[in-house]
Amino acid sequence: MRKRTVRFRHFGVRWLATAALVLCIPALSGHAERQATLLEKAKFHERRPAIVQRTDAEQLQRLIAQNLIIDSVRGETLEAYVNDEEFQWIGDQGWKIEWVPDEELPHWKPRKVAPGGLSTPLTFYPTYEQLTNDLQILAASYPNLCRLESIGKSVENRDLWFLKITDNPDLEEAEPEFKYISTMHGDEPVGTVMTLNLIHILLGNYATDQRIRNLVDETEIWIMPLMNPDGYSDEEGPSRFNFHGVDLNRNFPDPVTSPTNTIAGRAPETQAVMTFGFHHSSVFSANLHTGALVMNYPFDYKTSPSPDDDVFVHVSHKYADLNPPMAANTDPSRGFVNGIVRGVLWFMVHGGMQDWNYLWLGCNEITIELSDFIKAPDESTLLGFWDDNRESMLAYMEQVHIGVRGLVTDADSGDPLAATVQVVGRDHNVFTDPDVGDYHRMLVPGTYDLEFSSEGYEAKTISGVEVQEASPTILDATLDKVPPPISMWRLR
Ligand code: ZN
């Protein structure tokens, strides 16, 4: 009855290899520090899935406080990734815990099928090499619509591919930036296939499909089909973790557990995505997972709703309502109602990518779970998944245009400004793209007051701004420089 959704990994071989390496190091270099790091890594690799019987709310709090990697909470059980010590600790608390038996876990691997480019929609999970090859072919075939960028390297030196799709791909335009990132958990491959399918229709149908042309013309779209290529490609079978055993969706800055918004000490895959975020002006995004079927919106890290709860509910429904199995997914044991949930009502997560995007980048991000219980559904079901998600993925992207947008410029020179835009009464900032000065503040229909500020300029509030559903409200703002102090005038 319980479907186990993760592949048991045989850590023994790698552990032995690591241990052998550790034993060699003192003789070679005598670096005690390096030795400790490798031992830690070996320990990380021992984490494997286990089922814990739930008791009460306090139990979950205590598990989260121990920084245990909880993957899912459902009914009478929760799934966690634990090492031997953590397994022992949980048992010592008097809670029932058991390993997920190997035979209950799915066994799959990405595979290479056709040589050359991929034909979509895909009916298999492609290898990283095939995905790379396909993206390179597309970039060469559609030079007017896309650019392929590697934003960094994984631990095992694989390129982290991000495909930019827009008209005029080398120009900075006053367009909102949207991004999809899939499979930061390497054993959750459905989103990799969905994003590849999406890339193919955005590029391939641009010439003939007016809706897709509008979307591509008016939006700077970024799609990363595979954030964790090492986990996905692991020879022992796809793994949730990166090569160092890091859960990338617990590795981002978090107001409680890791409040410094710097890349220091984080996994290279996390660093690459953070650095990308710092250099871009993402407005709206989603990261794709499997193991549940739901739109999981902020916050994950604390119990109170975000200042933009109405926006998140609105855009979550735009996706879920077009995906019939998702829309039908109401599960009180997980807090799901018609396919959406405020993350923390399911279970609390610290260090997730979603909350980091919202809190630090001003970007509205949602975690989309595409497949209930089964992380890597049989390849024969992939066409059905595409049927369920194609319209949702397009409609969700189009939501980047709701609300108010415009340019913030210097009143004298007309130069674009690096400015902060805040809706009065909402403790949340969005930022202009300083190259062009454009901002995009997603809002549901209503009347709002907007405050614009920029260092060295007088802040300005514009009141009574109307937002309607059909199209964004255009609202430009010009800011005046703060006059220099009187004494400065006298000196001149
Ligand atoms: Zn996941």
Side-chain angles (χ1 to χ4, degrees), residues 349-416:
V349 168
H350 288 295
M353 186 162 74
Q354 162 195 284
D355 287 354
W356 172 76
N357 265 277
Y358 182 70
L359 290 168
W360 272 288
L361 298 186
C363 171
N364 297 328
E365 174 150 307
I366 292 182
T367 305
I368 304 181
E369 298 275 358
L370 293 168
S371 163
D372 223 3
F373 313 133
I374 304 173
K375 293 198 177 192
D378 191 85
E379 291 175 334
S380 65
T381 65
L382 285 172
L383 288 178
F385 275 97
W386 180 235
D387 275 349
D388 290 339
N389 287 286
R390 181 193 147 115
E391 290 306 308
S392 293
M393 291 180 91
L394 291 171
Y396 185 80
M397 296 167 82
E398 288 167 343
Q399 294 301 303
V400 74
H401 293 283
I402 66 170
V404 187
R405 60 182 283 188
L407 299 175
V408 184
T409 52
D410 180 304
D412 291 328
S413 68
D415 289 341

Side-chain angles (χ1 to χ4, degrees), residues 195-466:
T195 49
L196 277 170
N197 290 346
L198 179 68
I199 287 169
H200 277 256
I201 64 162
L202 290 176
L203 297 174
N205 297 7
Y206 177 85
T208 54
D209 184 328
Q210 189 60 46
R211 180 192 187 187
I212 283 177
R213 182 188 284 256
N214 287 346
L215 184 60
V216 170
D217 283 350
E218 302 301 325
T219 318
E220 184 177 322
I221 300 162
W222 288 85
I223 301 178
M224 176 185 268
L226 184 53
M227 180 176 160
N228 181 4
D230 297 352
Y232 182 83
S233 309
D234 194 309
E235 68 222 11
E236 295 163 10
S239 157
R240 175 185 185 86
F241 304 100
N242 86 340
F243 188 75
H244 286 161
V246 177
D247 185 333
L248 300 177
N249 207 27
R250 306 289 184 274
N251 193 230
F252 281 80
D254 180 283
V256 176
T257 56
S258 181
T260 311
N261 189 25
T262 60
I263 65 171
R266 304 186 196 278
E269 297 86 356
T270 309
Q271 292 185 344
V273 168
M274 286 181 68
T275 303
F276 175 89
F278 294 149
H279 289 102
H280 286 78
S281 304
S282 297
V283 172
F284 188 35
S285 57
N287 74 91
L288 305 175
H289 296 251
T290 49
L293 181 60
V294 74
M295 301 295 286
N296 173 113
Y297 61 89
F299 289 125
D300 281 330
Y301 87 100
K302 72 169 178 182
T303 51
S304 54
S306 81
D308 288 298
D309 203 59
D310 52 358
V311 175
F312 283 121
V313 168
H314 176 85
V315 296
S316 294
H317 274 302
K318 285 289 173 191
Y319 196 105
D321 291 356
L322 291 166
N323 180 322
M326 188 185 275
N329 198 6
T330 293
D331 178 353
S333 83
R334 292 183 285 180
F336 300 176
V337 179
N338 298 325
I340 79 170
V341 67
R342 178 151 58 82
V344 73
L345 298 179
W346 182 14
F347 63 100
M348 186 179 277
V349 168
H350 288 295
M353 186 162 74
Q354 162 195 284
D355 287 354
W356 172 76
N357 265 277
Y358 182 70
L359 290 168
W360 272 288
L361 298 186
C363 171
N364 297 328
E365 174 150 307
I366 292 182
T367 305
I368 304 181
E369 298 275 358
L370 293 168
S371 163
D372 223 3
F373 313 133
I374 304 173
K375 293 198 177 192
D378 191 85
E379 291 175 334
S380 65
T381 65
L382 285 172
L383 288 178
F385 275 97
W386 180 235
D387 275 349
D388 290 339
N389 287 286
R390 181 193 147 115
E391 290 306 308
S392 293
M393 291 180 91
L394 291 171
Y396 185 80
M397 296 167 82
E398 288 167 343
Q399 294 301 303
V400 74
H401 293 283
I402 66 170
V404 187
R405 60 182 283 188
L407 299 175
V408 184
T409 52
D410 180 304
D412 291 328
S413 68
D415 289 341
L417 293 178
T420 301
V421 183
Q422 189 176 73
V423 174
V424 175
R426 290 187 182 224
D427 184 16
H428 179 67
N429 295 329
V430 302
F431 309 98
T432 59
D433 182 336
D435 295 331
V436 182
D438 59 319
Y439 74 94
H440 305 265
R441 185 29 165 126
M442 291 174 66
L443 290 165
V444 297
T447 306
Y448 303 91
D449 302 335
L450 270 68
E451 186 184 82
F452 300 86
S453 57
S454 181
E455 202 174 331
Y457 290 81
E458 310 259 21
K460 179 186 265 187
T461 301
I462 301 177
S463 301
V465 180
E466 298 278 346

